[in-house]
Amino acid sequence: MAVFGPRANLFMTATLVGSFWVGVLLIAAIWVVPLMDYNSQQRFAPDQPVPFSHKHHVSGLGLDCRYCHTSVEQSSNAGMPSTATCMTCHSQIWTNAAMLAPDRTSLAEDKPIRWTRVYGLPDYVYFDHSIHIAKGVGCTECHGAIGDMAITRKAHSLYMSWCLSCHRDPAPHLRPKDQVFNPHWRRTNSTPSPEALLVQYHIKTEALSDCGICHR
Amino acid sequence: MRWRSSTALVIVSMSVAACDNMANQPKLNPYELPFGSQINWPVRPVPHTIARGDPLNPPGPPPVSMALLERGQQRFDIYCSPCHSRLGDGNGMIVQRGFPHPPSYQSDALRNAPNQLFYDVITHGYGVMYSYADRVSPADRWAIVAYIRALQASASASLSDVPAEKRSSLQ
């Protein structure tokens, strides 16, 4: 009896070709899928109970972020507007709009609107808005051109590599203190240089990528 | 037999490890309810209590300083200018879009009104204007009042009130 049957060569080729493709798939699963927007939900805009538009309210009406996200300067959490905050205006204008019906039932039934989260970090990551605001990192550095978004979408992956890309070299992302909330800020000739801002805010980059900064 | 139990061990430990959900730990984040909690939304402070660290009695007006006025200007521009406009004349952006017109701060009634009235309007609202107490802290309310007083004073200022070296920039 021969050890190798007549079809042994075929088996051999099939196995080689098969394991090649398994390898390709594995590499794709491990390296490529995490980089895809589908996985990081980048550019992803979930449906919201009310189609709230930052473009209308921020760029159109000139509202400051803090009118609605009040705690962003003092707290780790930016804070979401209460129904009463919407009603400071919508008790008088656009009072019959169908789009705003969830707002009105929320007020009548005394139940808050539950917005769908766009940005979210896993529980093992520690993040704090207030320090970034205090050190001149503008909202749009992390949340993209939110002043032009009719529906809020995720501008960055929020991967660790993304946080680190700035923590290793924050200087180009800094701006003067009074421009942090401006959704349309551009660097001009009169803006202090990135290095000058780094000194002004007393930022020490040596320790900023230590694991304990974000994993405590 | 031996290989069977060790395979079982590997499979069990791998599936146990997969259950350990690091991304969703028993840690409470803002706006998150404890898992399986019976607490109903909205969770509100118990009536007639104050938050830890808040003063028992609201603070009185602090002495006016440049820092106070600058803080007042910043807070006014965030919370009041959408309706009252940066000048305080009541022609803000939201009013241009159909919100009822508030009285101008330059009206005689508001020029002669006591400081406490402005503080109370921010705290409790007035007519169609909602309360801003949830967003403007007591200290910031006094800063806004001081800034409104500065706005009122500036409307009746004349060129001779401006320091001599700055006049040319206005002429």
Side-chain angles (χ1 to χ4, degrees):
Chain A
M1 199 182 77
V3 176
F4 298 105
R7 277 185 291 168
N9 273 354
L10 191 62
F11 276 134
M12 191 62 199
T13 336
T15 317
L16 279 180
V17 171
S19 47
F20 172 75
W21 282 111
V22 167
V24 167
L25 282 178
L26 266 178
I27 289 173
I30 293 170
W31 288 99
V32 183
V33 170
L35 296 179
M36 276 167 30
D37 289 352
Y38 169 76
N39 191 63
S40 64
Q41 300 189 320
Q42 204 167 327
R43 288 198 276 275
F44 144 98
D47 282 341
Q48 299 287 356
V50 179
F52 176 82
S53 160
H54 281 91
K55 186 178 180 193
H56 239 119
H57 291 86
V58 173
S59 301
L61 303 172
L63 293 181
D64 190 288
C65 310
R66 291 165 286 182
Y67 192 94
C68 294
H69 305 297
T70 308
S71 61
V72 74
E73 284 172 304
Q74 305 103 34
S75 143
S76 63
N77 190 276
M80 296 301 276
S82 65
T83 305
T85 299
C86 306
M87 284 302 167
T88 54
C89 297
H90 289 293
S91 58
Q92 299 294 324
I93 43 178
W94 282 59
T95 45
N96 293 319
M99 273 191 267
L100 279 162
D103 252 319
R104 294 191 294 270
T105 41
S106 156
L107 192 72
E109 293 175 3
D110 199 22
K111 285 218 181 82
I113 299 181
R114 306 199 74 166
W115 302 100
T116 314
R117 294 280 320 232
V118 182
Y119 291 87
L121 287 170
D123 278 356
Y124 55 82
V125 182
Y126 173 85
F127 177 78
D128 193 324
H129 272 99
S130 61
I131 180 78
H132 292 95
I133 308 309
K135 300 284 175 141
V137 185
C139 310
T140 51
E141 292 291 342
C142 300
H143 295 302
I146 192 147
D148 303 319
M149 292 183 195
I151 285 288
T152 313
R153 25 172 228 286
K154 198 170 168 185
H156 294 284
S157 65
L158 301 196
Y159 282 168
M160 181 166 134
S161 55
W162 173 74
C163 306
L164 286 175
S165 67
C166 179
H167 275 214
R168 286 189 180 130
D169 180 23
H173 303 279
L174 303 179
R175 46 177 96 172
K177 198 126 201 190
D178 53 345
Q179 297 300 326
V180 166
F181 300 92
N182 180 351
H184 300 292
W185 182 80
R186 291 263 180 291
R187 180 166 276 284
T188 60
N189 289 336
S190 55
T191 318
S193 75
E195 293 70 30
L197 287 167
L198 205 62
V199 174
Q200 186 194 323
Y201 288 118
H202 307 291
I203 296 176
K204 305 241 176 331
T205 43
E206 302 88 59
L208 212 47
S209 26
D210 289 356
C211 316
I213 293 272
C214 309
H215 304 292
R216 347 190 142 185
Chain B
M1 202 53 216
R2 190 116 172 234
W3 66 269
R4 262 205 232 157
S5 52
S6 47
T7 335
L9 195 70
V10 166
I11 290 176
V12 165
S13 52
M14 278 171 85
S15 41
V16 165
C19 290
D20 173 27
N21 192 346
M22 220 174 40
N24 205 353
Q25 302 168 15
K27 149 185 166 185
L28 266 192
N29 292 318
Y31 301 107
E32 204 173 273
L33 285 180
F35 179 71
S37 94
Q38 298 300 309
I39 303 173
N40 282 323
W41 284 90
V43 186
R44 294 245 169 79
V46 181
H48 312 300
T49 61
I50 55 170
R52 180 168 50 176
D54 274 6
L56 203 52
N57 296 307
V64 175
S65 64
M66 200 57 206
L68 184 80
L69 285 175
E70 274 165 6
R71 177 76 182 171
Q73 175 176 33
Q74 190 200 50
R75 296 291 120 174
F76 180 88
D77 285 350
I78 299 170
Y79 297 109
C80 316
S81 71
C83 298
H84 289 274
S85 96
R86 297 209 165 193
L87 303 172
D89 59 12
N91 288 325
M93 186 53 123
I94 310 301
V95 175
Q96 293 168 31
R97 301 296 172 95
F99 202 86
H101 200 292
S104 165
Y105 291 153
Q106 309 304 341
S107 69
D108 285 339
L110 286 178
R111 278 177 161 272
N112 299 326
N115 290 337
Q116 190 67 40
L117 175 120
F118 294 90
Y119 184 92
D120 290 344
V121 169
I122 305 176
T123 314
H124 303 296
Y126 178 82
V128 297
M129 177 183 144
Y130 271 48
S131 158
Y132 282 77
D134 59 338
R135 282 175 283 161
V136 183
S137 71
D140 284 346
R141 285 173 224 167
W142 285 120
I144 291 180
V145 175
Y147 181 67
I148 292 178
R149 289 303 186 200
L151 276 180
Q152 289 175 330
S154 69
S156 54
S158 65
L159 197 60
S160 54
D161 293 330
V162 180
E165 66 276 15
K166 297 237 168 106
R167 275 180 211 163
S168 61
S169 64
L170 294 172
Q171 272 162 342

